Amino acid sequence: MQNKRGKNSNFVNQTPLTITMACVLEPYKDVVTAISVIDLLKAEFPAVSLQIYGDGSEKLKLEKLTKERNLSSNIKFMGSVPRDELLTVLESRKGGILLLTSNSKGGTEEGIPVIAMEAMRSGIITIATRNGGIQELIEENVNGFIVEQEDVAGIAEKVSEVLSSSISEREMMGLKAQITVAEKFNSEINAKVFVRKLLSFKYAS
């Protein structure tokens, strides 16, 4: 995918500008960086939208920060939703962007995020910070992008690159993401889904 900065007028009207996040709203997920990314992008993409699914101890702080930066029309906190509902959202956003901005400074190293696998399986392009096992999932500029932690400008550059690309380019990268998950990680997703269903059955009994 080639960067088409400077040609946005040819592409922006063709492509959805909604970015998805799904995470617990805790410090190690570093949603503050995601908010800063949108703040940086809004001059170039006034209609860019970030929808954040999840809840946690930082929710009020993050909502306050969003208002202080006059981003309430660009950033929406969707709250916690059932997993099936979230999967439906992801499936409707093929060729879109999933943003993951987790930070390991507090000692929290992540494995391979299940939400990234689920998004990629839906044909979504993941832009993630370098943390834990994400490099086992994402191949740079092939099926997604990896950026250094807290690199607001670097993340914004990758988001801009995707938003400035044609639908066909985005769908091609999304297809490569689907192939990656199908070939390497589908069994892991299926195992986690099975465990969730088993637990729900147990508690319903």
Side-chain angles (χ1 to χ4, degrees), residues 111-179:
I112 301 174
V114 174
I115 186 63
M117 290 189 282
E118 291 173 334
M120 290 173 69
R121 185 175 62 174
S122 298
I124 293 174
I125 299 164
T126 297
I127 300 175
T129 48
R130 193 181 307 279
N131 187 2
I134 194 68
Q135 295 168 94
E136 297 178 38
L137 183 63
I138 295 178
E139 184 177 355
E140 177 67 19
N141 204 33
V142 175
N143 60 11
F145 299 95
I146 300 176
V147 188
E148 299 305 319
Q149 296 176 21
E150 299 182 322
D151 184 0
V152 173
I155 297 168
E157 178 70 23
K158 296 302 183 184
V159 173
S160 175
E161 183 175 335
V162 176
L163 294 181
S164 301
S165 299
S166 65
I167 289 177
S168 61
E169 287 177 306
R170 294 169 72 169
E171 289 184 346
M172 178 58 68
M173 182 171 277
L175 176 60
K176 291 176 181 176
Q178 288 178 304
I179 291 171

Side-chain angles (χ1 to χ4, degrees), residues 11-177:
F11 294 97
V12 169
N13 291 333
Q14 302 179 41
T15 57
L17 301 183
T18 299
I19 301 164
T20 307
M21 285 191 78
C23 61
V24 292
L25 303 184
E26 300 295 341
Y28 74 95
K29 292 297 186 179
D30 196 13
V31 179
V32 171
T33 285
I35 291 172
S36 297
V37 168
I38 299 302
D39 201 5
L40 189 60
L41 284 169
K42 68 176 182 178
E44 185 177 10
F45 302 99
V48 68
S49 172
L50 175 65
Q51 292 187 353
I52 303 172
Y53 292 83
D55 206 347
S57 65
E58 290 217 313
K59 184 176 182 180
L60 293 179
K61 169 189 168 181
L62 296 168
E63 289 178 332
K64 181 180 178 182
L65 179 61
T66 297
K67 290 178 181 178
E68 289 173 350
R69 296 194 183 182
N70 297 316
L71 293 171
S72 296
S73 62
N74 301 93
I75 299 175
K76 303 297 181 184
F77 292 87
M78 312 302 291
S80 294
V81 298
R83 175 64 63 171
D84 289 348
E85 184 175 330
L86 180 58
L87 291 178
T88 299
V89 170
L90 294 177
E91 288 166 3
S92 72
R93 294 181 179 173
K94 181 178 180 181
I97 298 172
L98 176 78
L99 186 58
L100 301 174
T101 54
S102 60
N103 192 315
S104 60
K105 280 188 175 180
T108 303
E109 285 280 351
E110 297 198 278
I112 301 174
V114 174
I115 186 63
M117 290 189 282
E118 291 173 334
M120 290 173 69
R121 185 175 62 174
S122 298
I124 293 174
I125 299 164
T126 297
I127 300 175
T129 48
R130 193 181 307 279
N131 187 2
I134 194 68
Q135 295 168 94
E136 297 178 38
L137 183 63
I138 295 178
E139 184 177 355
E140 177 67 19
N141 204 33
V142 175
N143 60 11
F145 299 95
I146 300 176
V147 188
E148 299 305 319
Q149 296 176 21
E150 299 182 322
D151 184 0
V152 173
I155 297 168
E157 178 70 23
K158 296 302 183 184
V159 173
S160 175
E161 183 175 335
V162 176
L163 294 181
S164 301
S165 299
S166 65
I167 289 177
S168 61
E169 287 177 306
R170 294 169 72 169
E171 289 184 346
M172 178 58 68
M173 182 171 277
L175 176 60
K176 291 176 181 176

